[in-house]
Amino acid sequence: MELPTALYESTDDGYLATALTIGPWDAGLQHAGPPAALLLREAERAGAIEGGQTVRMAYDIFAPVPVGPVRITASVVRPGRRIELVETVLTAGDERPLMRLSAWRMRARSDGAAPEPPAPHPAASGPEESRRELAAFFTTEVAYHRALDWRFPTGSFNSPGPASAWTTPRCTLVAGEPMTPLQHLLVMTDAASGISAVLDWTTATFANVDLLVSLHRPPRGDWLGMDAVTTLGGTGAAQCTAVLFDAEGPIGRSAQSLFVEPR
């Protein structure tokens, strides 16, 4: 099977989404992971702190993002030499915002304190020893689930309950440039609620309205992972939380608020 080499292609006024961005609910709508990474890319390009690190990313998902052309605007909300807040907004056919990112960025420097001893990552095994799996619930052969190589130490895409997964990219974010580890992390992390689903995809929808990622250090290496659990509230709401890690140990956490209803 021939796959696109990138999630997006650059255009004169924005980007064109490829089939690798297609989500599980509708073949005409993107999974939120790729646009989350694209918004992060633009936030880092707009930031003024040279060599800065992005430590918190808060996404609001106002509406589904269609598979097709998209545009992104960026602004520095709170400028600074050491700390800055950058906002990026994604639109499609009109000027209605579909996704928004507020990203806190900091100057990278030594704080003078001795680093904490590295903690082990929470996965039961490394990527080489973990089970490769492909999600069975996507409606098209070429879609988001093929953008990454998925390996599961515990749990599964295709059965309910908590799960941990390693991923490595099978494509780039934007054609013609490498995908950075942080971009890879954002492509992956929105799927935390998918790998840890507690409801049957065929009988219920559980779409997230936000995504919060907080990091205590940048991700490193080709393989990144998450250990995710979803908790139902019984009132039509649920929350998914995940520990994020690389081969060296934990790097931060993510959280998603889910709207749950029967299909």
Side-chain angles (χ1 to χ4, degrees):
M1 179 183 301
E2 187 173 351
L3 300 176
T5 59
L7 291 158
Y8 298 96
E9 298 173 356
S10 295
T11 64
D12 291 340
D13 62 347
Y15 304 92
L16 179 66
T18 71
L20 284 177
T21 65
I22 294 173
W25 305 115
D26 186 313
L29 302 176
Q30 296 188 42
H31 190 284
L38 195 64
L39 284 162
L40 175 277
R41 174 182 177 273
E42 293 299 312
E44 293 198 316
R45 289 158 67 93
I49 299 178
E50 185 176 354
Q53 56 185 331
T54 307
V55 298
R56 194 213 68 169
M57 290 143 278
Y59 293 88
D60 293 304
I61 304 172
F62 302 123
V65 179
V67 178
V70 297
R71 296 184 298 276
I72 295 180
T73 58
S75 59
V76 179
V77 179
R78 191 274 196 193
R81 292 180 300 168
R82 296 177 298 174
I83 301 171
E84 64 183 358
L85 178 65
V86 183
E87 181 178 275
T88 52
V89 177
L90 182 146
T91 59
D94 52 30
E95 295 306 310
R96 180 171 62 105
L98 302 178
M99 285 182 67
R100 177 180 64 194
L101 165 64
S102 295
W104 279 105
R105 307 188 70 251
M106 298 180 181
R107 189 174 68 192
R109 61 183 298 274
S110 172
D111 58 13
E116 292 286 333
H121 62 69
S125 60
E128 293 80 7
E129 300 79 35
S130 299
R131 184 185 71 262
R132 177 182 277 121
E133 186 175 287
L134 196 66
F137 45 80
F138 280 78
T139 58
T140 59
E141 278 292 314
V142 180
Y144 165 82
H145 62 308
R146 295 189 183 274
L148 304 172
D149 183 356
W150 292 88
R151 309 285 182 94
F152 285 81
T154 56
S156 169
F157 250 136
N158 302 315
S159 60
S164 59
W166 292 96
T167 68
T168 193
R170 300 179 68 189
C171 63
T172 64
L173 178 62
V174 176
E177 63 183 59
M179 185 185 296
T180 69
L182 186 54
Q183 292 169 3
H184 168 198
L185 185 75
L186 271 301
V187 172
M188 174 191 76
T189 302
D190 190 72
S193 58
I195 69 169
S196 65
V198 293
L199 296 173
D200 188 335
W201 289 82
T202 64
T203 61
T205 59
F206 38 93
N208 55 305
V209 299
D210 66 357
L211 171 65
L212 176 65
V213 177
S214 298
L215 304 177
H216 58 266
R217 69 166 174 86
R220 294 189 281 264
D222 295 330
W223 285 95
L224 303 178
M226 53 185 173
D227 186 50
V229 60
T230 295
T231 303
L232 294 175
T235 61
Q239 184 182 55
C240 175
T241 57
V243 176
L244 308 175
F245 52 90
D246 57 21
E248 300 175 33
I251 59 177
R253 293 179 177 270
S254 69
Q256 297 164 288
S257 302
L258 309 179
F259 174 71
V260 182
E261 66 176 352
R263 288 183 71 90

